[in-house]
Amino acid sequence: AQSVTQPDIHITVSEGASLELRCNYSYGATPYLFWYVQSPGQGLQLLLKYFSGDTLVQGIKGFEAEFKRSQSSFNLRKPSVHWSDAAEYFCAVVSDGSGYSTLTFGKGTMLLVSP
Amino acid sequence: ETGVTQTPRHLVMGMTNKKSLKCEQHLGHNAMYWYKQSAKKPLELMFVYSLEERVENNSVPSRFSPECPNSSHLFLHLHTLQPEDSALYLCASSYGSAGDTEAFFGQGTRLTVV
């Protein structure tokens, strides 16, 4: 069965500093990987996704992620964090059923942005 | 606004009550999902409907009863819940035909069982 590990429960970054959130997955086949963001009291918004091709994926809000098969990782990065980026971030891998797809999520990383 | 709308946004119910959560999407998707998000736990998939047919039920207690009357609407009927069922319930939809598809989430219903 597939699984996703986000080793950091909380991360605090100063505004303007760079950010990297870690994600490791366990999946037998070629994974389809996602990063979602959740603001307090809100649903999940897709930041970016990796299906195939270029291993460096660009997303919304200036985020990017790099797929590294050798390390089973899909880390999320941003060169300069803004206060509005404070939220919870979820990494997910999809398992492909017959006619539908389901996501397996990590436990999430809460990003705090300090002034 | 993701195109997936959930109502109500907040719900408080007693353990003997019966209530329903509603989810609506107008994105033309053919798969809909219920997820449960509890504190300190990963998002848990509860039910999957593909082409209005339930295709997955992840060992969810029978006090949760889903219904998908058409491809645009999904309900979660609740009865005799327990306090540990208090959580954020998220609905999602997708084209669902292959792995290379993204899920669009609603804003969730915050459920408190008292």
Side-chain angles (χ1 to χ4, degrees):
Chain A
Q2 65 280 352
S3 65
V4 176
T5 302
Q6 293 180 248
D8 303 306
I9 298 175
H10 295 99
I11 281 186
T12 300
V13 175
S14 298
E15 190 169 14
S18 64
L19 168 71
E20 182 169 32
L21 301 182
R22 296 183 289 167
C23 172
N24 292 96
Y25 67 89
S26 171
Y27 189 62
T30 299
Y32 298 134
L33 295 158
F34 303 80
W35 274 100
Y36 282 86
V37 61
Q38 185 179 33
S39 298
Q42 302 296 314
L44 278 69
Q45 180 184 22
L46 181 70
L47 284 176
L48 47 78
K49 57 190 176 185
Y50 171 78
F51 295 147
S52 64
D54 193 345
T55 56
L56 185 63
V57 180
Q58 301 298 318
I60 62 171
K61 303 184 180 184
F63 285 92
E64 66 178 28
E66 186 170 13
F67 170 61
K68 293 185 177 180
R69 184 186 299 276
S70 61
Q71 299 177 18
S72 297
S73 70
F74 188 56
N75 294 349
L76 182 71
R77 301 194 294 247
K78 186 170 185 178
S80 177
V81 168
H82 187 262
W83 64 267
S84 61
D85 293 324
E88 191 157 22
Y89 291 80
F90 294 90
C91 182
V93 63
V94 72
S95 59
D96 193 8
S98 175
Y100 62 95
S101 302
T102 59
L103 292 161
T104 298
F105 286 89
K107 290 188 176 183
T109 298
M110 181 66 72
L111 173 64
L112 306 173
V113 180
S114 60
Chain B
E1 177 58 51
T2 64
V4 180
T5 303
Q6 291 186 243
T7 55
R9 291 293 309 278
H10 301 272
L11 178 62
V12 179
M13 61 185 289
M15 290 189 283
T16 58
N17 291 160
K18 290 184 179 181
K19 297 287 184 182
S20 296
L21 310 185
K22 180 182 177 182
C23 177
E24 189 172 351
Q25 61 92 5
H26 297 290
L27 300 169
H29 292 166
N30 57 12
M32 297 187 77
Y33 314 79
W34 281 116
Y35 285 87
K36 177 183 179 182
Q37 186 178 29
S38 306
K40 303 186 188 305
K41 294 176 71 174
L43 279 144
E44 304 169 67
L45 178 66
M46 300 176 72
F47 300 104
V48 180
Y49 276 82
S50 177
L51 300 173
E52 301 161 39
E53 179 182 338
R54 190 191 313 180
V55 294
E56 193 158 327
N57 174 348
N58 280 353
S59 303
V60 180
S62 59
R63 58 186 184 268
F64 295 91
S65 175
E67 178 189 4
C68 187
N70 55 62
S71 59
S72 299
H73 294 86
L74 183 67
F75 294 90
L76 187 62
H77 304 300
L78 317 170
H79 64 97
T80 59
L81 294 191
Q82 304 298 311
E84 60 264 29
D85 296 323
S86 299
L88 182 69
Y89 289 84
L90 291 164
C91 173
S93 68
S94 72
Y95 285 111
S97 60
D100 57 347
T101 181
E102 67 182 85
F104 290 77
F105 284 82
Q107 293 187 304
T109 295
R110 172 67 63 185
L111 174 66
T112 303
V113 182
V114 298

